Amino acid sequence: MNFPESSNQKITIKSSTVSLYVKREDLLHPLISGNKFRKLKYNLAQAKKENKETLLTFGGAFSNNILAVAAAGNEYGFKTIGIIRGEELTDKILDNPTLKKAQELGMIFEFTSRETYREKHTAKFRAKLTETFGDFYLIPEGGTNNLAIKGCEEILTSNDDMFDYICCSVGTGGTISGIINCSKSSQQVLGFPALKGDFLREDICKFASKSNWGLITDYHFEGYGKVSEELIRFINAFYQQYKIPLDPVYTGKMAFGVLDLISKNYFPENSKILMIHTGGLQGIAGMNKVLKQKKQLEIHIND
């Protein structure tokens, strides 16, 4: 599973001395997007090494991980199984852009209640999965494990040594852990959690080998999957100005936060900042479906 080095796109900011760039990880693959491609690289190699024929993973209604695993399985010759949070989704696959596409790519679904889903890490739950589906290679929710971290350690290259700050969104903490591990000691890595709370710090410490990082917890917009009209307007304006699409769950919030911090002079003069675009654009269709039902402003990333 090989991929080209992603390019850095400059963002022009008026009335500021900082230099801002976006690493376009979203362009690595049309479906196995951004950080999911990185996380899956060595997991797929390990699955092949173990002679596994099936990949099994977990996710919610609009999970980037679910679609990425389905696409990877389709492209690299694995059967795929998705354990989906929410029994109410059983008969709504065709109404859900993420699940519909994953099913088209060959993924088989098992829908569980939210209560049962919370037990997915237990030995009892795993034993039941093996009894039901037979032998499989397990990819955790969000795709984060030691092999995923190894893949994310390849996000930064020597071309990125010039940057003073590396910024990325944070979900499970895997991507930022890999970035921290491959960053220079002179660089500061800033994570922008998509979830409320500071609990991710402990998870990141399990994988990160350096201390040159911190979390900016002011831009979650009230929690995972939550958006506001202000955020949607920002995403639309960002696309119109720079022709870079942002997803509303992760990268959109991070970019909003970085630009807000720049406007508040958070970064020292002449700082060089790199934002990591972790992909996730497939989720826009599902978000727009929800926004349309609520008669709210939608995301527009097409000219």
Side-chain angles (χ1 to χ4, degrees):
M1 189 175 183
N2 298 311
F3 42 81
E5 181 180 326
S6 55
S7 60
N8 295 337
Q9 184 171 337
K10 184 175 176 57
I11 302 297
T12 302
I13 304 176
K14 297 179 180 180
S15 304
S16 177
T17 64
V18 306
S19 300
L20 180 64
Y21 290 78
V22 178
K23 181 171 279 291
R24 298 295 306 275
E25 292 278 291
D26 58 306
L27 299 178
L28 291 178
H29 191 282
L31 289 175
I32 315 172
S33 182
N35 63 339
K36 300 308 178 191
F37 208 118
R38 302 288 187 180
K39 289 181 175 183
L40 284 170
K41 176 181 178 179
Y42 292 108
N43 273 291
L44 295 188
Q46 184 63 28
K48 289 283 189 182
K49 184 178 180 180
E50 295 179 12
N51 295 315
K52 304 288 187 180
E53 298 180 353
T54 302
L55 307 175
L56 183 146
T57 193
F58 308 88
F62 302 107
S63 167
N64 293 325
N65 180 58
I66 286 293
L67 184 57
V69 171
N74 179 264
E75 187 162 329
Y76 294 99
F78 294 95
K79 299 175 184 177
T80 55
I81 299 167
I83 309 302
I84 309 299
R85 181 180 64 251
E87 289 177 310
E88 73 279 2
L89 297 169
T90 302
D91 58 355
K92 298 178 181 178
I93 296 173
L94 297 182
D95 296 324
N96 182 297
T98 301
L99 297 181
K100 182 174 182 290
K101 185 63 178 178
Q103 186 178 67
E104 290 172 355
L105 291 166
M107 179 171 273
I108 296 171
F109 300 125
E110 173 84 4
F111 296 91
T112 71
S113 67
R114 283 162 172 74
E115 182 180 3
T116 301
Y117 190 85
R118 284 193 288 269
E119 303 299 316
K120 63 183 178 296
H121 300 299
T122 66
K124 181 179 179 181
F125 191 93
R126 300 287 173 86
K128 184 177 180 181
L129 290 176
T130 301
E131 182 181 336
T132 303
F133 297 109
D135 190 36
F136 56 79
Y137 183 87
L138 190 144
I139 296 173
E141 182 178 33
T144 292
N145 58 16
N146 287 320
L147 291 174
I149 305 303
K150 181 180 178 181
C152 289
E153 288 172 356
E154 297 177 354
I155 292 175
L156 297 182
T157 71
S158 58
N159 292 331
D160 303 319
D161 291 351
M162 61 177 280
F163 293 102
D164 304 301
Y165 293 89
I166 312 295
C167 302
C168 74
S169 58
V170 181
T172 57
T175 302
I176 190 174
S177 295
I179 290 171
I180 292 166
N181 292 346
C182 67
S183 67
K184 299 296 182 182
S185 58
S186 59
Q187 297 175 318
Q188 182 72 14
V189 181
L190 298 179
F192 292 73
L195 299 82
K196 294 176 71 172
D198 198 32
F199 60 91
L200 283 165
R201 188 173 301 277
E202 184 176 339
D203 292 336
I204 295 169
C205 286
K206 295 176 184 177
F207 296 109
S209 59
K210 301 176 184 177
S211 58
N212 60 329
W213 62 278
L215 297 179
I216 307 293
T217 59
D218 301 325
Y219 299 99
H220 51 68
F221 287 84
E222 298 305 316
Y224 180 77
K226 302 289 182 64
V227 299
S228 70
E229 183 171 314
E230 181 183 25
L231 177 62
I232 302 303
R233 289 191 183 280
F234 168 80
I235 290 172
N236 289 342
F238 194 89
Y239 181 77
Q240 286 301 312
Q241 186 169 1
Y242 304 113
K243 295 298 180 280
I244 301 176
L246 302 173
D247 86 285
V249 178
Y250 295 105
T251 305
K253 294 181 179 182
M254 178 269 297
F256 182 101
V258 170
L259 288 169
D260 187 53
L261 291 175
I262 290 174
S263 72
K264 295 175 178 176
N265 298 315
Y266 175 89
F267 300 99
E269 289 188 7
N270 302 312
S271 294
K272 296 179 176 64
I273 307 166
L274 179 65
M275 298 192 298
I276 309 298
H277 195 317
T278 52
L281 299 176
Q282 67 84 25
I284 292 176
M287 180 62 74
N288 274 344
K289 191 177 183 70
V290 173
L291 293 171
K292 186 174 184 178
Q293 291 173 345
K294 295 181 178 180
K295 298 182 178 181
Q296 296 177 355
L297 180 68
E298 297 176 43
I299 300 167
H300 300 289
I301 57 169
N302 296 310
D303 296 318

